[in-house]
Amino acid sequence: MDNNMIINPRPQYQSVIEKWLNMPSTEANATLKSILQRGIWCCNNKANESCNGILISGINPSFDKEHHEEPADCSFWETVDANGSDYWQTKKNMVIGLGLPVAYIDLFPLRMTKQDGFMNDKNVPLELKAELLRITQNSIEEICPKLIINPNMGSRVYWGLIDKYSWMGYDMEPVKNIIDKGDLYRIKGIKSKEDVLQHGFQSKLPESNTFFLQYKYHGNGVLTQEQYLNSNDIKLLWDYINNL
């Protein structure tokens, strides 16, 4: 793989969004079109800084009504907190000083601040979510991380952890978690269910022995700061999974 390659699915996302924006206007999709017109944000993941390392996952970028212009794409380490948020700093605290490749990806590039608003299918239709998530899954496979950290309980549905909803449909085997923060899984492949997004898709992650850590979001007041994931936790976990 070219070390200068940028793993950024923006062109593919943009093609899907333009298709939806060009659909005939109806009262039912006026809210959606206003969301799509905000533009998107993607993380620029350089191959030599990302592959075979750690991938941190979010659900979608936030939207600042006071600064509504489309933000420029940037790398994980170039992101900056704004408006009192500590979102990016808490993510960087998980991996800072480890000297490991780190990538970041939102499952969806649509700019919406409230997660419950995004997950409402009246705002963002299932068909659009499916089209965008197929692109995201291909990008995840291209990054091919050793460890995926998903500090968002709501988004676990899109990974396949809730059997009722397949979405990306990753088949995950529970593994003992030595850091006692969240649930640890080994990715075994893609479920053979008919309703997975890419039925018959051959994932590269089992061959890479990829692990998945599911934990809680740090910024909603549920956790104390001592309960946050930190770089000491991830260093212990990284050493552990590389010996499994």
Side-chain angles (χ1 to χ4, degrees):
M1 182 180 290
D2 183 354
N3 282 344
N4 294 317
M5 177 182 176
I6 301 297
I7 307 173
N8 185 339
R10 169 178 280 276
Q12 295 96 318
Y13 287 142
Q14 199 65 54
S15 177
V16 169
I17 288 168
E18 287 174 3
K19 180 187 76 172
W20 280 77
L21 278 171
N22 290 326
M23 290 180 178
S25 296
T26 66
E27 186 175 344
N29 67 19
T31 298
L32 173 62
K33 288 204 170 184
S34 71
I35 294 168
L36 299 182
Q37 288 167 349
R38 297 171 182 171
I40 64 175
W41 182 83
C42 301
C43 190
N44 274 337
N45 295 307
K46 296 181 181 179
N48 62 337
E49 297 174 356
S50 305
C51 292
N52 304 311
I54 293 172
L55 173 65
I56 301 173
S57 169
I59 187 167
N60 70 284
S62 62
F63 175 65
D64 182 353
K65 292 181 179 179
E66 295 184 4
H67 302 88
H68 59 271
E69 64 277 2
E70 183 178 68
D73 297 341
C74 62
S75 75
F76 170 72
W77 294 110
E78 292 169 335
T79 54
V80 178
D81 288 325
N83 301 319
S85 168
D86 63 352
Y87 181 86
W88 290 112
Q89 191 56 55
T90 58
K91 303 297 177 292
K92 292 172 185 177
N93 287 345
M94 299 176 188
V95 292
I96 196 165
L98 297 184
L100 297 170
V102 180
Y104 177 90
I105 198 165
D106 281 313
L107 297 183
F108 305 91
L110 305 181
R111 298 167 63 208
M112 295 179 67
T113 298
K114 293 188 179 297
Q115 183 171 315
D116 55 353
F118 170 80
M119 296 186 76
N120 186 333
D121 298 331
K122 293 180 180 179
N123 294 332
V124 184
L126 289 169
E127 295 86 353
L128 174 56
K129 289 177 181 174
E131 288 187 63
L132 295 172
L133 196 57
R134 286 188 189 96
I135 296 168
T136 303
Q137 185 169 25
N138 291 339
S139 187
I140 291 168
E141 293 282 331
E142 188 177 11
I143 294 169
C144 200
K146 175 69 175 178
L147 173 64
I148 300 171
I149 304 173
N150 186 44
N152 185 305
M153 295 298 288
S155 67
R156 70 192 187 280
V157 64
Y158 298 114
W159 289 92
L161 280 174
I162 298 178
D163 197 53
K164 183 179 177 181
Y165 307 101
S166 294
W167 289 103
M168 290 190 289
Y170 283 108
D171 188 10
M172 302 198 196
E173 172 189 31
V175 177
K176 179 183 176 182
N177 184 7
I178 63 165
I179 66 172
D180 197 29
K181 290 182 180 179
D183 298 308
L184 184 64
Y185 303 86
R186 189 199 308 262
I187 294 180
K188 297 166 55 182
I190 304 292
K191 296 176 182 178
S192 59
K193 298 172 67 175
E194 291 290 336
D195 60 343
V196 297
L197 280 180
Q198 305 195 77
H199 185 65
F201 180 71
Q202 296 296 313
S203 172
K204 297 189 298 184
L205 303 188
E207 184 178 346
S208 298
N209 201 25
T210 300
F211 291 80
F212 184 93
L213 177 66
Q214 176 64 61
Y215 197 46
K216 297 177 181 178
Y217 175 50
H218 292 176
N220 57 6
V222 173
L223 302 178
T224 65
Q225 196 157 2
E226 290 74 21
Q227 294 173 308
Y228 288 6
L229 287 167
N230 58 55
S231 58
N232 289 332
D233 297 322
I234 302 307
K235 177 64 166 62
L236 285 171
L237 189 60
W238 181 263
D239 292 343
Y240 171 66
I241 64 175
N242 276 282
N243 286 303
L244 286 179

